[in-house]
Amino acid sequence: MLKSPVFAITLFVAAALFGAAAAQDPLPIPTLAVPTLVAYEALDNPTVDLPPESAVTEIISSGVFRVGVLYNEPPYSQFTLQGDLRGFEIDILRLIAETWGIDVEFIQVTRENALDRLNRGRAHAVASAFVHYRNLDDQIAFSQTFMLGRQAMMVRADSPFQSLTELVGPRIGYVIGTRSEYAVGLWSAQLEDRLNPQFYLTLDRAFAALAGGEIDGLVAEEQDLLRVTAGYADRARILDEALLREPRAFAVRRHDASLRNLLSHSIQLLARDGRLRRLFQEYFPESELPEDAIALWAGIGETVDPTQYAGEPPQSLRVALPQLLGAGVLRVGGIVDGEQLPSASEAQLNALNLALVHEMGRRWGVSVETFSSSAADAIDLLARGELDIVAGMQPDWLLAASMDFSDPYFLHGDRLMVGANSRIAGFNDLRGRIIGLVIGDEGARERAQAWADSINASVRFFQTREAGAALQLLEFNNVNAVYADSLLLAAHLQANPNALRLTDRWYSRSSITFGLPYNDPDFRLLVNYTIQELARDGTLERLSGALIVSDDLPDFEITPGESQVAGINLAGA
């Protein structure tokens, strides 16, 4: 059960309110299934030593991947009346085990004993019992997010309310002891306790209160709201705006970087080949998985199996955070002397990296020391402990055994730049026409040709220097469009905002992240949550201004929780 920042109550008060609620005349709504109880074995000693090796070693030796799951969490995991275990997360895990060429064994857990089962090695990983919240990060680690669920607000069908801001003041309900209580608590803290909340003991009772006019809004996980109103869809509606987005991911032991990477790599493989999207459409037909929902790393390869992550140490060889705070200096690689940069795009990206690390240092209360070196040298210095962080890295699975990567702070990728009044929308409109390519954009011709070949379009190519790309379109008419990495096009679009534009489609996407010390969860979380706070308060968009040409900032995944990490307030002042 998640600890709520507000709304703590005593058992006596809960019992009294339960009696009052029972006296009401609720609508004949279906009752949610009672959870199946599983015996809980209390630990004699609640502290758990770090594992001597990754769970990957045991998975390889046994040929079985053991996963703890809830039996009553539809549509994510559910033991059906027919005696089958099914659900969105269950089927993802079956696909992952199939990819690995091993068996998967599902072990029933409850929310109360899931952490115990995981840390005692009864399960290698846990699904459905945990959603990634910040207050769990000091106990477990999470794979890459495979879906963003949401805590949603439901109102009556005839309600005048259309947005969350309109429900600050009116009565809203939630079920006590659930993530919804935590979400309402976070929202209330942001609004300086101006909410008017009312708790209930069950979702059925809360929905009856909404339908009867006792409350004006009801907060719950969206899938729970859809399920409890299955027979009453005409009586209520869910607001489009999410109260809180909830990252769904698989939980592993906190220092098991090998299994964390193995699962994340596997999720990306399922996303790339379309299997994850097909599963999503099966379980959530009313929703659509965004095109860029799963960020893909370089070096993903064609297959992934546990032997690729065998033999990695489960613990970090060093811990960066105490050293950082003790010395008061953040040592940064990947920053280049501006005079050594040959192009405007590289200079702008370097400026973003420099501004970003200084803002991070300011929020952490430390100074910043930059080291100019090649990417390869910076990675080596990071591994030797002579740097804390490397800016401007593209996450790469070929490097995942020696370093970690932060959340992305910028996106770039192949785009088509055309005249503002051009009717060109994509390669289908470039048949028989000329495409400009920027000299130095390695592999761009092959990538553009592949897109043309995919629709049997005949195109021609023209080479141009980066500085002259706009002139070829606007002055010399040598090309009908320029195909290049968006970083190479940003300066032209900024200089000619009324004459040039990008077509809507991204032809590739790559993330820009920080390279971090391998398997140092405290420092990785500090960096990730700082990036998230910079995104949330608008600082990252401001710092990225010179490079933003459309939607180049990621759709930031904000892990729910407080802005305090390791005693540091990450919120901007």
Side-chain angles (χ1 to χ4, degrees):
M1 183 184 299
L2 291 168
K3 296 180 290 186
S4 171
V6 294
F7 313 134
I9 65 163
T10 65
L11 184 60
F12 174 79
V13 175
L17 288 175
F18 178 77
Q24 299 174 8
D25 184 19
L27 290 171
I29 358 180
T31 302
L32 298 182
V34 176
T36 305
L37 297 179
V38 175
Y40 176 72
E41 299 175 14
L43 286 171
D44 295 329
N45 182 356
T47 61
V48 179
D49 292 332
L50 293 177
E53 60 185 7
S54 169
V56 172
T57 303
E58 186 178 345
I59 292 170
I60 294 171
S61 63
S62 67
V64 177
F65 179 33
R66 298 194 308 274
V67 187
V69 298
L70 298 180
Y71 273 25
N72 60 339
E73 184 74 358
Y76 306 106
S77 62
Q78 180 183 21
F79 193 76
T80 68
L81 295 176
Q82 293 74 34
D84 300 322
L85 192 60
R86 70 181 310 269
F88 180 57
E89 296 189 23
I90 297 296
D91 285 352
I92 292 176
L93 289 160
R94 284 177 173 143
L95 286 177
I96 287 175
E98 179 184 316
T99 300
W100 296 353
I102 64 170
D103 296 325
V104 60
E105 177 187 345
F106 295 110
I107 300 168
Q108 185 183 5
V109 299
T110 67
R111 289 183 177 86
E112 287 73 24
N113 70 9
L115 183 62
D116 176 25
R117 294 287 193 269
L118 179 64
N119 283 331
R120 288 167 68 100
R122 305 286 179 84
H124 300 131
V126 170
S128 69
F130 299 118
V131 171
H132 189 182
Y133 276 27
R134 291 186 185 182
N135 62 352
L136 293 171
D137 281 326
D138 61 348
Q139 303 172 76
I140 51 180
F142 288 89
S143 71
Q144 180 170 359
T145 298
F146 51 79
M147 174 187 172
L148 278 175
R150 65 182 200 143
Q151 290 288 325
M153 179 73 76
M154 175 176 279
V155 297
R156 289 182 296 278
D158 60 355
S159 169
F161 302 120
Q162 301 294 328
S163 68
L164 291 176
T165 55
E166 297 176 73
L167 284 155
V168 177
R171 298 159 299 174
I172 60 171
Y174 64 94
V175 178
I176 190 169
T178 65
R179 297 194 311 273
S180 302
E181 179 186 14
Y182 190 75
V184 171
L186 290 175
W187 189 29
S188 180
Q190 294 171 6
L191 297 170
E192 298 179 345
D193 297 328
R194 289 187 288 120
L195 292 182
N196 186 9
Q198 172 65 52
F199 71 81
Y200 295 88
L201 300 181
T202 68
L203 187 57
D204 288 2
R205 177 60 64 180
F207 178 61
L210 176 69
E214 181 181 319
I215 55 176
D216 300 295
L218 172 59
V219 176
E221 206 269 346
E222 183 175 27
Q223 297 306 314
D224 289 338
L225 290 174
L226 292 173
R227 189 165 59 253
V228 80
T229 58
Y232 305 91
D234 60 336
R235 300 194 187 185
R237 58 184 170 84
I238 297 175
L239 299 185
D240 292 336
E241 183 183 1
L243 179 65
L244 199 69
R245 296 199 301 176
E246 296 185 311
R248 301 197 73 94
F250 300 126
V252 301
R253 289 179 294 187
R254 193 167 192 261
H255 282 81
D256 197 344
S258 298
L259 183 54
R260 173 172 57 86
N261 282 335
L262 174 59
L263 285 167
S264 298
H265 194 165
S266 302
I267 290 167
Q268 290 188 24
L269 199 64
L270 295 180
R272 192 187 65 181
D273 66 22
R275 285 181 286 175
L276 186 62
R277 180 174 297 277
R278 289 192 290 273
L279 268 186
F280 186 89
Q281 291 170 342
E282 176 185 345
Y283 282 97
F284 310 100
E286 73 285 351
S287 303
E288 184 175 346
L289 190 67
E291 191 69 30
D292 59 342
I294 308 295
L296 304 182
W297 294 10
I300 191 171
E302 298 301 319
T303 60
V304 61
D305 67 78
T307 60
Q308 294 173 240
Y309 292 91
E312 295 181 28
Q315 301 182 44
S316 175
L317 298 179
R318 68 185 185 90
V319 181
L321 189 53
Q323 179 178 321
L324 169 71
L325 299 179
V329 178
L330 175 65
R331 300 167 301 170
V332 182
I335 305 294
V336 183
D337 185 338
E339 297 179 358
Q340 301 175 8
L341 295 168
S343 69
S345 60
E346 290 176 305
Q348 288 177 330
L349 180 58
N350 192 66
L352 168 60
N353 291 335
L354 187 60
L356 189 52
V357 295
H358 275 286
E359 177 61 20
M360 291 167 69
R362 185 188 72 80
R363 296 193 183 202
W364 298 350
V366 300
S367 60
V368 174
E369 184 178 359
T370 60
F371 294 79
S372 182
S373 62
S374 67
D377 288 342
I379 292 171
D380 185 55
L381 291 171
L382 180 73
R384 298 207 308 262
E386 297 178 34
L387 291 178
D388 301 307
I389 195 170
V390 179
M393 293 288 296
Q394 179 181 8
D396 191 332
W397 286 114
L398 299 179
L399 297 173
S402 58
M403 64 189 301
D404 280 338
F405 297 95
S406 73
D407 286 351
Y409 58 85
F410 198 77
L411 290 177
H412 66 104
D414 290 347
R415 304 292 297 271
L416 278 174
M417 183 173 71
V418 298
N421 298 322
S422 170
R423 295 184 179 181
I424 294 173
F427 276 83
N428 199 49
D429 301 314
L430 289 169
R431 297 174 184 273
R433 297 192 177 188
I434 302 173
I435 299 175
L437 301 172
V438 175
I439 297 171
D441 191 1
E442 188 176 348
R445 179 172 185 143
E446 290 75 13
R447 299 194 301 273
Q449 186 66 62
W451 283 107
D453 291 344
S454 70
I455 57 170
N456 297 315
S458 175
V459 296
R460 291 175 290 163
F461 295 103
F462 181 91
Q463 296 273 0
T464 176
R465 295 186 182 278
E466 180 184 342
L471 292 175
Q472 303 301 335
L473 268 172
L474 300 176
E475 298 292 336
F476 305 142
N477 295 317
N478 286 327
V479 299
N480 302 105
V482 176
Y483 179 91
D485 189 292
S486 57
L487 287 172
L488 302 174
L489 303 176
H492 298 295
L493 291 158
Q494 294 237 343
N496 303 277
N498 298 318
L500 294 172
R501 66 176 176 86
L502 295 180
T503 60
D504 292 337
R505 180 164 186 174
W506 285 78
Y507 293 94
S508 70
R509 277 186 175 89
S510 296
S511 300
I512 297 179
T513 69
F514 290 111
L516 306 173
Y518 178 74
N519 205 3
D520 186 346
D522 290 324
F523 186 63
R524 176 168 51 85
L525 292 168
L526 176 65
V527 173
N528 284 345
Y529 292 159
T530 305
I531 292 172
Q532 293 177 21
E533 295 299 327
L534 290 167
R536 179 151 51 187
D537 64 25
T539 301
L540 186 53
E541 182 174 5
R542 175 177 56 81
L543 296 179
S544 306
L547 286 171
I548 297 176
V549 293
S550 57
D551 50 352
D552 294 336
L553 289 179
D555 181 15
F556 288 102
E557 175 187 310
I558 309 295
T559 308
E562 304 291 342
S563 298
Q564 291 271 351
V565 175
I568 302 172
N569 183 13
L570 303 179

